[in-house]
Structures are given as C-alpha cells and as structure tokens.
Amino acid sequence: MLNTSCVEIPVQPASEADSGELRLDSTLQELSLYDFQVEAMDFGMKISQMLETNPLLPGVILTNQGKFVGMISRRRFLEFLSRPFGRELFLKRPVKALYRFAEIETLIFPSNTLIVDAARKSLQRSKELLYEPIVVQVSPQTYTLVDVRELLVAQSKIHELATKLLRQQTQSQLIQTEKLASLGQMVAGVAHEIRNPVTCISGNLGFLSNYSKDIMELLSAYEQIVGPSEKIDALKKNIEFDFLKEDWVEIIKSMKASSERLRELVTSLHTFSYMDETHLKEANLHECIDSTLLIMKSRLKYGFKVVKNYGDLPLVKCYSGQLSQVFMNIISNAIDALEEVQGETGFVAAITIETEVIDSSDGDFVNSELLQNYVLGDRPNAKQLSSASQNAGFSPEASEKNQNNAWIAIRIADNGPGIPPEIQRRIFDTFFTTKPAGKGTGLGLAITHQIVTEKHKGKLNLHSTPGTGTEFEILLPLI
C-alpha cells in the first residue's frame, strides 16, 4: 500500500523571487525550499506523480521510517526511466531499488549557510553533479531541497548587490578623499596667510622690547636732570608708573609666548595639510606627533594625561602629512574611548605615546608566549610581539629596501575600556564604525591602515584587552 503522507510547500519559481529581500549575508533558508518526501518502500510511481504534478520540483527526499536516507533528483529519475525497460523496472518497485542505481554523492548544508558559500561549493562539484539539487538541513530531522538554478540566480543577485554597494562605498570614499584634499589645500592656504602676519608680530616684538627699555632709560635720565617735580610726581601717580614699568615687561613676555604658540600652531597646520605629497621626504616623526597633539589640544586639555616616551629616532623618509593624519585618527579614537569611562571615580584618562627603533626580528611577532606576556602586562617582553595584525604583512618590497633590518615603531596606547574581539576583526574594514550616526564615517582607521601598509609598506598592529585598554602599533621600514 502506498504511503501518501508527504509535506508540500507551495512552489515559487526562482525567477519570481524578490531580489530586494536578499542581502550580502542572506542564507539558504531565505530561498524556496522543497520538502517532498517519499519512504524507501514507496513505489516509483509516487515520485513520477509528484514530478508531473510539480514541474518545478528539483527532486524528492528519500526517508526510511522517517529518517533521512538521501535524495533522488528529477534529472536522475527521468534518466533512469528513459533507459530500456526503465518504467517497468522502477515505477512498480520500491524506490530503494531505484536509489541503489541512482545514488550519488549528496551535498548537504545547514540552513544558515550563506548563499554565496553554498553556490561556490556547488560549482566546485564535478560536471556530472553540477546541476544536482542541494540538500538543506533545516533541523536535525528535517531535510529540504533547493534548486541549483535558483541558488545561482540568488548568487548573481547578491553579486550585483555587492557590486552596487562597492561602487557606492568607492564613490563615498572618493568624495571623502576629495573633501580631505580640498580641506588640506584650504588649511595650507590659511596657514600660509596667517604665517606672514604672525612672523611680522613675533619678529617686531624683539624691537618693541628693546624700544621699551630705551624709553625707560630715557625717562630715568630726564628725572635725574630735571630733579623732583610735583607735577611729574602727580602724573606718575595718576598713571601708576611703578606698576606700568613692571607690567610692561610682563606684557611683552606674554605677547612673545602667544606669538610663539600661534607660530607653532600655524606650522602644525601647515605640516598636517601636506596630504597630497607625491614623493617621500625625510621628516622628524616626533615633530609630526607633537604637531598633531597641538592641533588636538582642545580635546586633550580637559582631564586627559598625555605621556610621551620618545626614543632616539633618525629622520624617516615618509609622507609626513599622511602620517599626521594617521596619528590624529588613532589619538581621536583613543579620546572617544576614554570619554566613555572618564566620569568613573578615581579614573585618570591617559594616552601613552612611545617611539623606538627595533630590529626586524622583533617585528616578526609570531610567538604565542609573548602574546600571553602582553595580556598579563609584561610589556618589556610583549614589545617583541605584535598580535591581531589585520591583513597587513610586511611588504617584500620594503624588506628588500630595508637593508639594515631596522624598523621605526610608534605605539599609541590608552587605558580605556578596550575593544571586544568581534569588533577587532573588523576594525580596519571600510565604513565599519561603532559610533552613532553622524559622529563616525567608518573611514578613519581604514584610511589609517591604507596609509601605513600601502603608502609606507609598513604594518599596523592592534593589541586590545577588554577592560584594560588598547594599543595601536605602527611599524615603518627604515629605508
């Protein structure tokens, strides 16, 4: 007696699927899944009736007392029926007889498998199996089929979606880059225009100081020649002459200090604005860092402690303006992280900047024991390690040029909340951000990674332990 119990899900042609519902991370369970089951003891006629009733059905699931055995595809079933005496042999006999001949290697995926991954593995099969349907395991005891054609159509739509998204991201990045270039040119122009009057002021302050001394000496000589005078004494008292002499000197000093501060700020802006450099030039990295800190002083002056442990660095051939952008992005992220915990009782927000020259053997950073030292706080040993490097190996080209095997290391660390491991894996991805809308673009660290690894053939490493802090290590070849 035939077992007529089977579960039927309404068939939806793949061409009618709504591509708008697909995402880059869409899984097999979002496709049309076919759940037509037959028992191994059912006759082949039952499969023939199912396939005739449902022309889109790619095959049937074969079970034995409710347990999954395998699947028979429409193509294989019709192939065996078309053979000599096929209908007589298989339609009136149990399906298990046909399965002995039609059994093939079955591709089985969990229902949460990404469509793109399933399509890729499906296309890696042999030519004979290329168009066989794929089995999708929905639950431990539930198996369904997905048509390969529908799978490939979905993969094509996801590919179109990825291409469109990539085009949008590229356009956004180009716009952002153009904005930065325009901003850099504007800042360079403003800095140049400010520098001239600032230079005039600071240069003339020396003369003004000398002139004031000469005037004071002249007044003293007049007093000695003229002698005591009630009118002069009354005037001196009225203008507070004694205080004026003391304050005059202090005013000159404060003007000198302010003009020097303004000159340093203009120089920093001018250095920072060199974003479109075309050639490597020797630069003092400590001056680049100091210039960046000076520009960001408005964010650092309230409750932040900056510790600088500078080593003895030579001049480095680099794009100084772009490295200044790197320092600013990393320090800005450190400030954002510290602001989250700044209000806690007894907490002192600190940013530590270290620089040194290391040997390339210290830059290999593959020893797991040294990673453990870093996690446990053994910084002297951990400095030889750089873990969690994000897709940025040392460039062979840079290694060839780096004849003396020396590298410049710049480490920028904070004692903030740290970065969770799941975020660390995506920290350098373009447009990835954990900041609220309007505050972060997701380009800062992506551009930072690109400047270090592509522009300077270096390496950007991340060390972070949640609850302890975060350190970014920049390694630049000393060429």
Side-chain angles (χ1 to χ4, degrees), residues 197-260:
V198 168
T199 302
C200 176
I201 293 171
S202 58
N204 288 325
L205 280 175
F207 297 109
L208 182 60
S209 178
N210 293 333
Y211 294 162
S212 65
K213 292 179 181 178
D214 293 341
I215 292 174
M216 292 300 176
E217 291 178 0
L218 179 61
L219 291 175
S220 178
Y222 268 112
E223 286 184 351
Q224 293 177 5
I225 295 173
V226 175
S229 171
E230 292 182 1
K231 186 175 182 180
I232 293 178
D233 291 341
L235 181 59
K236 289 170 65 177
K237 184 178 181 180
N238 186 44
I239 64 174
E240 298 180 342
F241 184 71
D242 293 335
F243 171 78
L244 188 149
K245 286 195 300 181
E246 297 176 359
D247 195 44
W248 184 283
V249 178
E250 296 301 322
I251 290 176
I252 298 296
K253 287 182 180 179
S254 65
M255 292 177 66
K256 283 184 177 180
S258 299
S259 63
E260 181 63 23

Side-chain angles (χ1 to χ4, degrees), residues 165-326:
L165 181 61
L166 181 61
R167 189 182 299 114
Q168 292 175 348
Q169 291 180 345
T170 303
Q171 185 178 8
S172 299
Q173 192 167 10
L174 288 173
I175 293 173
Q176 188 74 8
T177 302
E178 183 63 26
K179 284 182 179 179
L180 289 174
S182 301
L183 181 62
Q185 294 175 358
M186 182 182 69
V187 170
V190 171
H192 179 74
E193 291 300 322
I194 296 176
R195 174 178 286 182
N196 291 334
V198 168
T199 302
C200 176
I201 293 171
S202 58
N204 288 325
L205 280 175
F207 297 109
L208 182 60
S209 178
N210 293 333
Y211 294 162
S212 65
K213 292 179 181 178
D214 293 341
I215 292 174
M216 292 300 176
E217 291 178 0
L218 179 61
L219 291 175
S220 178
Y222 268 112
E223 286 184 351
Q224 293 177 5
I225 295 173
V226 175
S229 171
E230 292 182 1
K231 186 175 182 180
I232 293 178
D233 291 341
L235 181 59
K236 289 170 65 177
K237 184 178 181 180
N238 186 44
I239 64 174
E240 298 180 342
F241 184 71
D242 293 335
F243 171 78
L244 188 149
K245 286 195 300 181
E246 297 176 359
D247 195 44
W248 184 283
V249 178
E250 296 301 322
I251 290 176
I252 298 296
K253 287 182 180 179
S254 65
M255 292 177 66
K256 283 184 177 180
S258 299
S259 63
E260 181 63 23
R261 169 79 184 281
L262 187 56
R263 187 187 64 80
E264 291 176 355
L265 182 59
V266 169
T267 302
S268 299
L269 288 173
H270 201 264
T271 301
F272 186 79
S273 64
Y274 285 144
M275 296 299 296
D276 55 348
E277 298 164 296
T278 56
H279 300 288
L280 294 170
K281 296 180 182 179
E282 288 189 342
N284 187 328
L285 292 185
H286 291 161
E287 291 183 355
C288 292
I289 296 173
D290 290 339
S291 296
T292 303
L293 291 173
L294 183 60
I295 293 174
M296 303 189 70
K297 192 168 184 178
S298 61
R299 295 195 65 190
L300 290 168
K301 62 183 178 180
Y302 298 113
F304 291 94
K305 180 182 179 182
V306 178
V307 180
K308 294 187 288 187
N309 298 323
Y310 289 168
D312 187 13
L313 299 186
L315 296 178
V316 180
K317 285 187 177 181
C318 62
Y319 301 103
S320 60
Q322 295 183 15
L323 284 183
S324 296
Q325 177 73 50
V326 168

Side-chain angles (χ1 to χ4, degrees), residues 14 28 39 41 122 130 167 184 223 280 283 289 349 373 382 432 457 464 478:
L28 293 177
E39 278 286 329
M41 296 306 296
S122 174
L130 194 58
R167 189 182 299 114
E223 286 184 351
L280 294 170
I289 296 173
N373 289 334
F432 175 75
K457 308 301 179 184
S464 185
L478 189 58

Side-chain angles (χ1 to χ4, degrees), residues 7 249 465:
V7 180
V249 178
T465 304

Side-chain angles (χ1 to χ4, degrees), residues 49 87 151 466:
Q49 293 172 351
R87 297 181 67 85
L151 177 67

Side-chain angles (χ1 to χ4, degrees), residues 29 33 76 80 86 121 134 153 160 170 200 208 232 259 281-282 304 322 330 337 343 359 374-375 386 398 439 473:
Q29 59 192 352
L33 301 179
R76 297 282 290 175
F80 277 90
K121 293 179 182 178
I134 293 172
V153 169
E160 292 178 5
T170 303
C200 176
L208 182 60
I232 293 178
S259 63
K281 296 180 182 179
E282 288 189 342
F304 291 94
Q322 295 183 15
I330 294 177
D359 187 79
Y374 179 86
V375 174
S386 179
K439 189 174 182 182
E473 181 179 48

